[in-house]
Amino acid sequence: MIGTTGIDFSVIAPPAYLEHFVAQEPARVHHVAAQHVLSDETYRGFFAREAERGAEIIVDNGLFDLGHALPAESLVEAALAVSAREIILPDVMRDGAATLKASEKAAREIRELSGDAFRLCAVLHAADDDEWLRTYDAFVASDWAGSIALPASRRPDPDEQLCRTRWVATAYLQDHGLVDDLLVYRLLGLGRTGHLELIEQREHEWISSVDGAAPVILGAMGVALLPEGPYEKPSTPRIEKLGPIPEDRFDLIRKNISVVRSAAGSTVTIAEEHR
């Protein structure tokens, strides 16, 4: 487990805007899309340079963007290309058993290809709370999971289930002494309360990082994130469908990123020399 004074926020932006919004000072943690590493030379070069500057590069498996995870060979190829330290294993939305099966298979294949070159991250999905607890226990007991990622809570959940409400889940792990000191814990994406969730989550010093595109997408649409809320997210395009961003929106996007980092307790800024 890595204790932090805040949660590192990895900005997700279209490849054309990495220099404007994603470069970090100091370089800390980047969540990187494997498919873009493999297909976009500019994207690949940018994150390879961030790794040289000391950033921890985490290669995501592509499920959220593509609808399916890339095979182990492609994940290893992408990870090597940007000197990544970690690979997020294949996962299956809302299905703990299928996620565990896919993760175990990929972990075995990745190790056959690269040994112990990369920390492997399991994503905690489940259909209900019993399955959530079983899946979590299986990840902790495994000999291959070096980190665990909790996906964002995107829909209202009046019952506050562990498998649906992330801030309930992290509080449960803390209160029941289930946080494993040998694991790294990450949050994947900003959920329905956006940056406001991070104000609560940063109380857990064992949470290492979170990634998200919301400050970029909303800023490009002219929507400002308010430090103390409320967080009201209109219908938004996927990041790959965003299109050109007018330069007169750049300052708003940077302010939005600052709001998220402040909520997360992070002092990282956008690297000035990259602007």
Side-chain angles (χ1 to χ4, degrees):
M1 179 179 66
I2 298 176
T4 64
T5 55
I7 300 171
D8 284 312
F9 177 56
S10 171
V11 178
I12 306 300
Y17 301 98
L18 299 177
E19 300 281 358
H20 298 283
F21 308 126
V22 176
Q24 297 176 356
E25 185 57 51
R28 291 279 300 161
V29 177
H30 288 293
H31 291 235
V32 175
Q35 68 274 16
H36 291 321
V37 171
L38 296 175
S39 65
D40 188 321
E41 183 178 354
T42 300
Y43 187 95
R44 182 168 59 250
F46 174 85
F47 286 109
R49 290 191 297 275
E50 286 290 285
E52 290 175 357
R53 296 180 60 236
E56 180 176 20
I57 306 296
I58 304 160
V59 168
D60 203 350
N61 62 52
L63 174 70
F64 186 76
D65 298 319
L66 302 175
H68 62 88
L70 294 179
E73 295 85 352
S74 297
L75 295 176
V76 170
E77 181 184 353
L80 290 171
V82 291
S83 300
R85 299 186 200 175
E86 181 170 318
I87 295 173
I88 298 179
L89 296 168
D91 51 319
V92 181
M93 298 288 188
R94 297 195 172 193
D95 192 329
T99 293
L100 181 59
K101 182 178 180 180
S103 295
E104 287 178 327
K105 178 177 182 291
R108 182 174 61 254
E109 293 170 348
I110 289 170
R111 284 187 165 178
E112 288 173 353
L113 291 165
S114 60
D116 293 325
F118 308 107
R119 183 192 302 124
L120 302 180
C121 178
V123 184
L124 187 50
H125 288 292
D128 57 42
D129 284 1
D130 287 341
E131 184 179 71
W132 191 93
L133 289 166
R134 287 197 306 272
T135 305
Y136 178 77
D137 287 344
F139 288 158
V140 172
S142 77
D143 63 355
W144 44 264
S147 65
I148 292 178
L150 285 76
S153 305
R154 302 189 183 280
R155 299 179 181 177
D157 175 34
D159 296 328
E160 294 196 332
Q161 303 167 86
L162 300 175
C163 63
R164 296 286 179 271
T165 305
R166 187 165 60 186
W167 54 91
V168 172
T170 53
Y172 183 93
L173 294 178
Q174 177 82 51
D175 294 344
H176 290 78
L178 295 176
V179 178
D180 191 310
D181 289 348
L182 298 179
L183 296 175
V184 177
Y185 290 81
R186 306 193 187 281
L187 308 179
L188 294 183
L190 298 180
R192 62 180 179 273
T193 61
H195 62 289
L196 301 179
E197 177 193 353
L198 303 181
I199 297 172
E200 298 181 49
Q201 295 288 13
R202 76 183 188 200
E203 297 176 5
H204 305 310
E205 294 187 354
W206 43 273
I207 295 177
S208 179
S209 70
V210 62
D211 68 309
V216 175
I217 296 172
L218 292 175
M221 296 171 64
V223 178
L225 294 180
L226 305 177
E228 297 180 0
Y231 180 77
E232 297 177 357
K233 184 181 177 183
S235 178
T236 59
R238 296 288 290 269
I239 192 72
E240 64 271 14
K241 303 291 186 181
L242 191 59
I245 301 174
E247 285 195 27
D248 61 6
R249 296 283 169 82
F250 282 17
D251 283 345
L252 177 57
I253 291 172
R254 291 181 181 123
K255 288 177 182 177
N256 282 353
I257 292 169
S258 179
V259 166
V260 175
R261 286 203 165 113
S262 178
S266 170
T267 58
V268 171
T269 61
I270 300 171
E272 292 286 343
E273 64 267 26
H274 290 276
R275 292 193 184 184

